[in-house]
Amino acid sequence: MTMPDFLLSAAAFVLVMVALGLIRILRGPEDVDRMMAAQLFGSGGIAALLLFGVATEAKAVIDVALTLALLAAFASVAFVQGISRPDSDDSQETRDE
Amino acid sequence: MPHSLSSQDVTTPGGLLLVLAILIPFVGMLIGFVFGGGKAQRVALATLAAGLAIVIAIAHALVQSGDAVIYILGGWKPPLGVALRADGLSVVMLVAIAVVICGIGVYARADFGTPSGVKEARAPLTFWLLLLAVWGSLNLVFVSGDLFTLYVALELLTFAAVPLVSLDGRSETVRSALRYLLYALLGSVLYLLGAVLLYGVYGTLDIPLLAIRVRPEPAAWAALALMISGLLAKTALFPLHLWLPPAHAGAPAAASAVLSGLVIKGSWFLAVRIWFDVFAGVVTLPSAQMLGGLGAAAILVGNVVALRQTRLKLLIAYSTVAQIGYLFLMFPLATGLSSAGLDSVVSVNGGMLQAISHAMAKAAMFMAAGLVYATLGHDRVADLRGLASALPMTVLAFALAGASLIGLPPSGGFLAKWLLISAAITTLQWWWALVMLAGGLLTSVYVFIVVVRTLAPAHEGWKPKSPVPRYQQAVVLALALCSFLLGAAVLCPVDVMQIGRTVSRNTLLP
Amino acid sequence: MNGPTLFGLCAAALIGFGLYGLIVNPQPLRKIIGFNIIGSGVFLLFGTIARRGAAVGMGGDPVPQALLITGIVVAFSATALAVALLLRLFDEGGVVTLASEASPTEAKADPPDA
Amino acid sequence: MKIALDIFTIFSVMAGAFFFLAGTVGLLRFPDPLTRLHALTKADNLGLGLVVLGLLPQTHWPLDTIKLIAIWLFALLAGATVGQLMACTARRGGGQRK
Amino acid sequence: MTLALAVDIGLALLILAMAAWTIAVRDTFASVIGFVTYGLLLTLVWVRLALPDVALTEAAMGGGLTGALLIGAAARLRRTEATVRERPGVLTRTLAAVLSATVTAALSFCVLNLPDPAPTLAPAAAAKLGSTGVGNPVTAVLLAYRSMDTLLEAIVVLIALFGVWSLAHDRFWGGCPQLRTHADSEGILAYFARILPPIGIIVGVYIFWIGADFPGGKFQGATILAAMWLLVIGAGLAYLPPISRIWLRILLVAGPLVFIVIGFAGLVTAGAVFAYPDGFAKPLILAIEIALMPTLVLALALLVAGAPQRMPPQ
């Protein structure tokens, strides 16, 4: 097995893990579960992407992964912002632990 | 014999004017936005004047050279680059739309002035910026020779038109705007899908190149079906018309005039462009008959529903649904003529004239309805008494515009319908002629009802709710007169519409 | 069967899914999502075509790629405008539907020459 | 040398894949959102770190290497932040369906 | 090769499942999350299709900004969701299914019968690439061969922004758009929003800068910068400016206006509008891109932020 083939198999494996995780997460039942989807992509998706990219020697993939890493975090934050109730006292929520 | 867009690819004298016709309105919009407030209106009006001059210069260049006006952007020739091309059809639309836009601009000064004491107000600024945006996008639709640039033009037109619907911010109009936007977005995405397929099969998006390469095969049929369906949804042809009446009737008068008179002509013109210039060798008579059938249904349904409206603006909006129907009768007639080996020019000219005279008449009608509303405080058709004495010019304008919609001589509507009916008779498609006559009859009933109601004397002591500036009435009358006298186009020594359209190689003759 | 063809078929299916969602879902936000899925299907089809056009050392035909970028930005603008309309409607009335008398996408795309 | 680096890559990527497996098993098996969140943010970020580590020898020094490490740091930062925000939301019962 | 194909098939199935779930799920919020995930998956597809420029755009737009936009809307609309439960009847659904299936079948047929070899403009683009001075052919298409489209695209974004603003209430005209924020300057989010944006800005500018010669460019870079700005605002560390600010308006129109000015300068120097004189193509293209950057960053972020909702503090 050559290096690209190995990396591609690893990418496929990680992708299957991400897919399985997605199934669990999206079933809910709570929105907090579903919000983890972007997070799952922030790690698993990027890992698969990098493995794809290095396997096919596409250099630009690293830039794509960089963008994805930045914006998956952004999307996750947006999820959390969207989900917390606007009427609750927001200033308390991150301090009360 | 089908005619199609000239396929030359060198810049002609006057070609630069095409770039200006597209960019001047957008530059006006950008500068108006920076200044904001009342200055935006002044910038917009100055832009209207400049744009009108440019469009007239384009018409001059076309007639002078007797051939299409072409500009190769950046010197990059198609298929890699993009060419702007104005043939007779483009130029006629350019001029007509410029006239109507200028009329609307003058009319709107009274309705969309920035109130004194305020630095800037929402509705006026939005209106002036978007009026220019609509104009720039329409000019782009008329002169672009590239299917993707045309997609961008369609989206520009949609984004500029939708906020005009909801300008007054009532929830009803916001809902209409949203519904319109969803229809329009679906329409443009279907159009884009068709364009993508064409690129995938023929490797270009340039219209004259495609005309040469397109073959009658499944991919081309699918692209045609997708693009035309998308454009039908945007043009609001029956049965995809449901978004139109509430959207057009709910907007302020000047905005309704823009939407009903002009915006729908953009997607319709694109349908014409595609049908005759890209797919000339692909379209078949049955498919054209189907479009004609939808058009006929639109004429009958639109007119009957218009008859039953109790509010003037809704009546006018449904009449637009019907008039759009006539625009689509040109497809079976032209295709019928060319498959019989005859020249399809008669019906193409008829359809174009219908588009132009409707643009002028419908803008005049909506603006007249705006004046009626200002005078009476309502627009209930049952209660229009006293109008004829209060607003004689406006009522006359309404009647003239109505005459053009009905198709009374010597109006533009008359000439258009006469050309279409004669094409129907030549090709033995008499049923379209019957539909057109029935449509004219129905139209005459509601125009007549409205005019007669206005002639009734007012109640004792009735006073107009608010005075209407004379210049607004004059503009409305002028547009209505343009539409009414457009029939004089028959006296034109050269057939302007067919300049720059070469006889296509893709004839349908065996 | 190769990669581009596979994703081309995938694009065709996505367009079908999106169209169904756009017609059937009553909520405007779901319609907006449906529109976006159709849009991405169209883009994916264009991407397939771009990939098939790989030549002279380029991984794909650059013209469709550039147009795709334009298309994605335009689709985003459209979504933003639609969402703004939807939120304004919500502010006005609280209930967000597209009127009762007409579902906006009935009988959408009659192919005129089918 | 090349061989050694390749073997390092293979081991590291395999270890990373193992942690993704562990994370997914956690997601599937853990009973409530907080524990599942734990599985996701800890195991998957470790997995990503190992994959990145494994890929380092296969990429070009220095720009690509820095970018790869930056990617992992972003993921860690986002994981930590979002994990905590979500945990707060979950604890307040936010997002529970009515 | 077969391994790669297997991976592609798996990815395609995952995408389709994601799309189907997004459409079928009852809960709107779940659907939005599904759509964002779908957008992220799509990025993988673009990478598999070896179209990195598009992958970058999709990663930035599809996952980031569109996600934030839709999530914000879904969150605000939450309470009304229970009231809209009616679904169309069986007949409508059947017709819709038939229509969709027809479209899919027709398109599939077209896809399977695309001509071989595929028509392509790649050789033509490559032949002229030298005269544009840029190394990335996609940038050459965007800013030389079809620069008109790119200019119009920037104008599309601006017009959409005017449309969004026109939905403000009259009393807030000239005021500030607002995001739902967690205004806690000590919290974890604020910490995150202090750390990430400086690095994000570097990444955004980097993606923009390499666009001339490698995959990347102004749209992708601008999207990243816009997302970073929104993050800072969302964490309550900054506010959006009032839309009446003159500097804001000048920056918004500067991009297209500079583009037009340089375009018309080409008339004098190179004989055609949007042409570049020999040897000056690359600096001029860079100048246009640099001018478009602030326009796009502001316009994209403000599109997400929506209509003005409050007056600026006096």
Side-chain angles (χ1 to χ4, degrees), chain B residues 106-188:
Chain B
V106 174
Y107 174 94
R109 278 177 56 211
D111 294 3
F112 288 108
T114 304
S116 55
V118 185
K119 197 158 158 282
E120 182 175 286
R122 181 187 60 87
L125 182 70
T126 307
F127 176 81
W128 291 111
L129 298 183
L130 295 185
L131 181 70
L132 293 175
V134 165
W135 194 16
S137 338
L138 279 171
N139 286 351
L140 183 62
V141 169
F142 299 142
V143 306
S144 171
D146 182 275
L147 290 183
F148 189 81
T149 308
L150 284 167
Y151 163 74
V152 179
L154 276 180
E155 293 290 40
L156 277 167
L157 194 55
T158 303
F159 293 178
V162 166
L164 288 178
V165 172
S166 58
L167 212 50
D168 68 358
R170 284 181 296 122
S171 69
E172 247 344 279
T173 61
V174 176
R175 181 170 292 130
S176 309
L178 181 56
R179 197 177 332 152
Y180 170 31
L181 180 61
L182 287 172
Y183 264 100
L185 288 180
L186 181 64
S188 32

Side-chain angles (χ1 to χ4, degrees), chain B residues 79-80 122 148 151-152 155 158-159 162-163 166 168-175 177-179 181-183 185-186 188-190 192-193 195-197 199-201 205 220-222 224-226 228-229 232-233 238-240 242 246 275 282 284 286-288 290-291 294, chain C residues 15 19 22-23 28 31-32 35 38-43 45-47 49-50 52 61-64 66-68 70-71 74-75 77-79 81-86 88-89 92-93 95-114:
Chain B
L80 191 57
R122 181 187 60 87
F148 189 81
Y151 163 74
V152 179
E155 293 290 40
T158 303
F159 293 178
V162 166
S166 58
D168 68 358
R170 284 181 296 122
S171 69
E172 247 344 279
T173 61
V174 176
R175 181 170 292 130
L178 181 56
R179 197 177 332 152
L181 180 61
L182 287 172
Y183 264 100
L185 288 180
L186 181 64
S188 32
V189 87
L190 290 179
L192 180 64
L193 181 54
V196 163
L197 273 182
Y199 186 86
V201 180
L205 292 164
W221 295 326
L224 174 68
L226 289 164
I228 294 285
S229 319
L232 293 191
F238 179 88
L240 303 175
L242 294 170
W275 189 273
V282 174
T284 55
S287 55
M290 203 148 147
L291 273 187
L294 294 178
Chain C
I15 293 168
L19 200 57
L22 182 62
I23 298 173
K31 284 185 190 293
I32 295 171
F35 155 74
I38 302 180
S40 63
V42 175
F43 296 150
L45 181 59
F46 212 8
I49 287 164
R52 287 167 45 87
D61 186 349
V63 173
L67 303 185
L68 269 169
T70 306
V74 170
S77 310
T79 309
L81 185 56
V83 164
L85 279 164
L86 183 54
R88 174 66 199 255
L89 195 56
E92 291 294 317
V95 181
V96 185
T97 53
L98 289 167
S100 43
E101 83 277 2
S103 146
T105 40
E106 273 171 16
K108 208 47 200 261
D110 315 335
D113 60 356

